[in-house]
Amino acid sequence: MPLKVGDKFPEGVKFDFAPITDPDPTSCGRPSEYDASKEFANKKIVLVSVPGAFTPGCQAFHIPPYLQNASKLAEKGVDEVVIIASNDAFVMNAWGKVNGVKGDDKVKFMSDTKTKFSETHGWQAGMGDRNGRWAMVIEKDGKISYSEVEKSPGEVTVSGAEAVLSKL
């Protein structure tokens, strides 16, 4: 069941994460388990789910505004933006690199294959195992303050950076 405004971010949420350690998209370290329930504690997180890395809507319209608005999000108190998709951690790492993300950036690209958060606490796209297109804001106390899903996975409105910024 999707989390809604006022719900608490659940325990036991884990993603696969291959940290960006160099700019070469053809090389990648070993993915490790990222305990989101622990790592998100006492941080304001924007969690963005997309149907797939490198897909036209995600690459052209959804993710670039988050990267372009990273400083504005930080000014509004956001500690990190976490992008998840059902792609594996190697693909998510390469996608981050292709988009110019560095290891110390406040934007992280992670794989939602560990606990399938989008399936259990978010929304699916209705296209096989793909994640839906949605965004959530998790406050420092763990409560959800924003949770919206696109009516169609091809749209970027309520899950886009501008919509999230307007609600912070």
Side-chain angles (χ1 to χ4, degrees), residues 17 34 80-84 101 103 105-110:
F17 179 51
Y34 182 91
E80 290 179 348
V81 175
V82 176
I83 313 291
I84 62 170
V101 173
D105 285 357
K106 297 296 183 181
V107 179
K108 293 182 169 50
F109 287 72
M110 297 191 191

Side-chain angles (χ1 to χ4, degrees), residues 8-15 34-43 45 115 117 121 138-142:
K8 188 96 166 147
F9 192 78
E11 292 296 319
V13 175
K14 295 179 170 60
F15 299 120
Y34 182 91
D35 187 338
S37 301
K38 179 180 152 201
E39 297 294 331
F40 289 2
N42 301 310
K43 293 180 184 170
I45 304 291
T115 54
F117 181 83
H121 300 293
I138 303 141
E139 298 293 337
K140 291 180 186 261
D141 65 1

